[in-house]
Amino acid sequence: MKSVKTNLSPFKNFHKDIPSSIVVFLVALPLCLGIALASGAPAFSGIIAGIVGGIVVGSASGSALGVSGPAAGLVVIVLNAITDLGGFEIFLVAVIIAGFIQILLGVLKAGLIAYYFPSSVIHGMLAGIGISIFLKQIPHAFGYDKDPEGELEFFQAADNQNTFSELVNMIDYINYGALLITIISLAIMIFWQNKIIQKNKVLALIPGSLVAVIMGIVLTILFQNNPTLAISEEHLVSLPIASSVSDFFGNFTFPDFNAFLNPQVYITAIIIAVVASLETLLCVEASDKQDDLKRITPTNRELVAQGVGNIASGLIGGLPITQVIVRSSANQQAGGRTKMSSIIHGFLLLISVISIPTLLNMIPLATLAAILLIVGFKLAKPTIFRKIYKQGWGQFLPFLITILGILFTDLLYGILMGLVVAVIIILRQNFILPYEIDDSVSEDKKHYTIRLSENVTFLNKASILNACAQIGDGSTVVIDGTKTKFIHYDVLEMLEDFRVNASARDIQLEFKNIDLKTAK
């Protein structure tokens, strides 16, 4: 499938891409840090992956709204791999090899896999992630930050809790300053969507989330001397601060290339490449569905771009990269129009960690939680559930199972569960609808006309065989293939067996536009 070309020039859409890039930057910052901590990797490795995902992958990708960076879906793989391989430097070699594998997958056109995921599962993925984000951010909104930002799995390795038990635990650790900042941040962002603001040419260019972050910093300073509302460092963003240029470059970790001789590194690389590619292709499909202009991302090019990004990330000490739906959705919701918003967000990450890490470390996690609460809600709005429900149970059931799977396990297991249900429904529909049958009675004799559908595959064999078995002895039967363009050999063989059996049962059988010779 070819990408849809539009007349949207990146340089003519800066007025929309720059504000959206700021929103994506604010969303990405805590997620990059949180995913690194949850993965057992250096905190700066998440920032490196975010920078590379924005600048390198954003430049090479053909996705208009997709944003890449470290992904929650790889947390367990990374955590186990670092331990099993014996160090982060060895793990980086696996990331580099995984990048080359992804480039190979792109060259071999494996990106076509993206087009085979049912839309009900993709919509379920979006809604499931939205609900998970929302539930995971509630503790942060109340000032309970035991679980790192960015982790979306049901079972939380950081504190041995799960999504729902965390909601109970937070009641004993409420920070009233953080809660007040969350409420004010939400109020600012909701008010910023008001027509009064949006009609003002200047204010409309300023993201409401940026205003909320600035207010969050101001409130953090004001609350310092208040014992009830004071925000301690554990409730703030925590970036490594370099006191010199050498200190800054000391945050970069370089791979141990001696590990190229380690077979276990290649096994880890294959796992990373496969999982990262699947997550990327799923997110590409979801991002395209959210695009108001309905542009289609060239998936093979995306795999190559991700591969280039992972090679670059591994070379300088970054985590593995995928396209990430949370950041991509934030980009779309903020009004991003071209891939410049993703690229600019990467530069914002780079510039900010170099120039203003002290200021960034004054941002309360509660404000960032408020931003993600809105992102999560928009991904799982009640109107989406009503829309899918109206499409019938064939669409709604895989949608619902995908959501529950993501909520109670993780992203990939949830997708797999929804996909299995969708395939079962498709198989059932194929079993039920491969033909139409009419029956009538004249001269005390039963007459049947079986009209086969356009495509009759081996999946239809059982239902057609069952229909033939129900026909009474002494009947007249016409099996009509006028509308049929394809009949699988197994079905033709079954019809030939029925022809032989019909004579013994005194059934007068006629085949219309069906050639049984290939079954003999």
Side-chain angles (χ1 to χ4, degrees):
M1 191 176 289
K2 295 181 179 179
S3 59
V4 176
K5 293 184 178 180
T6 69
N7 295 321
L8 284 180
S9 167
F11 301 103
K12 292 182 180 178
N13 286 271
F14 271 136
H15 64 292
K16 291 186 177 179
D17 286 336
I18 289 178
S20 64
S21 70
I22 295 171
V23 174
V24 178
F25 158 69
L26 294 172
V27 169
L29 181 63
L31 296 185
C32 289
L33 290 168
I35 289 169
L37 291 173
S39 302
F44 206 73
S45 65
I47 298 295
I48 292 170
I51 293 168
V52 173
I55 299 173
V56 178
V57 178
S59 300
S61 170
S63 178
L65 295 175
V67 181
S68 297
L74 291 173
V75 165
V76 175
I77 293 173
V78 175
L79 182 63
N80 292 333
I82 292 172
T83 303
D84 294 342
L85 293 176
F88 187 63
E89 292 84 356
I90 299 174
F91 170 75
L92 292 176
V93 177
V95 176
I96 295 169
I97 296 171
F100 282 109
I101 294 172
Q102 285 185 294
I103 292 174
L104 180 62
L105 290 173
V107 172
L108 296 176
K109 302 190 184 303
L112 288 173
I113 295 170
Y115 304 127
Y116 291 94
F117 288 100
S119 62
S120 57
V121 174
I122 298 299
H123 286 300
M125 180 185 80
L126 289 169
I129 291 173
I131 294 171
S132 292
I133 291 170
F134 194 92
L135 293 175
K136 292 286 189 181
Q137 292 309 310
I138 292 175
H140 295 293
F142 279 77
Y144 184 61
D145 301 306
K146 291 294 183 183
D147 190 49
E149 286 276 11
E151 190 179 37
L152 293 180
E153 291 187 346
F154 179 67
F155 294 105
Q156 301 173 174
D159 59 357
N160 296 317
Q161 299 294 322
N162 62 55
T163 304
F164 294 107
S165 67
E166 194 83 334
L167 298 176
V168 176
N169 290 339
M170 75 178 188
I171 295 172
D172 295 327
Y173 299 94
I174 294 175
N175 182 294
Y176 293 101
L179 180 58
L180 184 58
I181 288 174
T182 299
I183 294 169
I184 293 172
S185 298
L186 286 171
I188 288 171
M189 287 184 287
I190 293 169
F191 173 73
W192 218 256
Q193 297 174 17
N194 192 287
K195 290 181 180 179
I196 298 172
I197 299 293
Q198 295 306 310
K199 285 181 179 179
N200 187 297
K201 292 183 179 180
V202 177
L203 294 178
L205 293 174
I206 304 171
S209 54
L210 179 60
V211 179
V213 166
I214 294 170
M215 180 57 71
I217 293 173
V218 171
L219 291 173
T220 299
I221 295 170
L222 293 176
F223 293 165
Q224 278 181 345
N225 297 320
N226 188 312
T228 305
L229 301 177
I231 308 292
S232 59
E233 287 186 4
E234 65 180 306
H235 303 303
L236 303 174
V237 169
S238 180
L239 271 174
I241 298 177
S243 57
S244 64
V245 174
S246 60
D247 264 2
F248 175 74
F249 284 106
N251 288 317
F252 292 83
T253 306
F254 300 100
D256 178 2
F257 290 109
N258 292 323
F260 271 119
L261 301 176
N262 184 347
Q264 189 64 36
V265 167
Y266 289 86
I267 295 172
T268 302
I270 292 170
I271 294 170
I272 292 172
V274 170
V275 175
S277 297
L278 281 174
E279 280 209 30
T280 291
L281 293 176
L282 286 164
C283 291
V284 162
E285 188 73 2
S287 297
D288 287 351
K289 287 187 181 299
Q290 291 182 300
D291 186 2
D292 295 336
L293 299 176
K294 302 304 176 187
R295 289 164 288 187
I296 298 173
T297 299
T299 51
N300 296 317
R301 176 179 169 182
E302 187 65 28
L303 287 178
V304 172
Q306 296 292 331
V308 171
N310 274 317
I311 292 170
S313 186
L315 284 171
I316 58 175
L319 291 175
I321 292 168
T322 75
Q323 190 174 126
V324 191
I325 197 59
V326 178
R327 276 156 266 188
S328 301
S329 297
N331 189 20
Q332 183 269 337
Q333 292 171 15
R337 277 292 176 266
T338 75
K339 65 179 185 178
M340 284 303 296
S341 57
S342 175
I343 296 171
I344 294 169
H345 117 274
F347 278 108
L348 289 175
L349 281 171
L350 176 60
I351 294 166
S352 63
V353 296
I354 293 173
S355 58
I356 54 169
T358 303
L359 179 62
L360 293 178
N361 284 346
M362 295 173 68
I363 300 174
L365 293 176
T367 294
L368 301 177
I371 296 172
L372 288 167
L373 283 171
I374 289 180
V375 172
F377 176 78
K378 287 184 176 180
L379 282 173
K381 289 187 291 188
T383 53
I384 295 170
F385 285 78
R386 287 197 294 268
K387 178 183 176 183
I388 304 297
Y389 181 74
K390 288 179 180 178
Q391 294 173 1
W393 280 99
Q395 288 289 101
F396 188 71
L397 192 57
F399 169 79
L400 189 60
I401 294 298
T402 303
I403 292 172
L404 294 174
I406 290 172
L407 191 58
F408 287 100
T409 58
D410 59 29
L411 177 64
L412 290 180
Y413 276 114
I415 292 290
L416 181 61
M417 291 165 65
L419 192 59
V420 168
V421 172
V423 169
I424 290 171
I425 290 173
I426 291 169
L427 293 177
R428 181 176 179 275
Q429 289 172 339
N430 271 278
F431 180 83
I432 294 173
L433 302 172
Y435 61 85
E436 294 176 355
I437 186 166
D438 295 326
D439 61 83
S440 60
V441 178
S442 64
E443 299 178 357
D444 296 326
K445 201 167 190 177
K446 197 94 173 185
H447 300 273
Y448 295 89
T449 300
I450 300 175
R451 297 183 182 86
L452 300 181
S453 59
E454 186 173 344
N455 292 294
V456 185
T457 72
F458 72 94
L459 298 173
N460 308 133
K461 178 180 175 180
S463 58
I464 297 173
L465 181 63
N466 184 57
C468 291
Q470 299 299 318
I471 293 171
D473 295 351
S475 302
T476 299
V477 180
V478 176
I479 299 180
D480 187 357
T482 303
K483 296 180 180 179
T484 306
K485 295 180 180 179
F486 170 78
I487 304 180
H488 194 272
Y489 176 82
D490 287 2
V491 178
L492 289 172
E493 187 177 55
M494 183 271 295
L495 292 176
E496 169 62 18
D497 292 344
F498 179 60
R499 185 188 67 77
V500 173
N501 179 256
S503 59
R505 295 172 56 192
D506 193 28
I507 294 175
Q508 296 180 20
L509 181 61
E510 177 188 351
F511 291 99
K512 186 184 277 189
N513 295 312
I514 297 175
D515 184 8
L516 296 181
K517 292 179 183 178
T518 56
K520 295 180 180 179

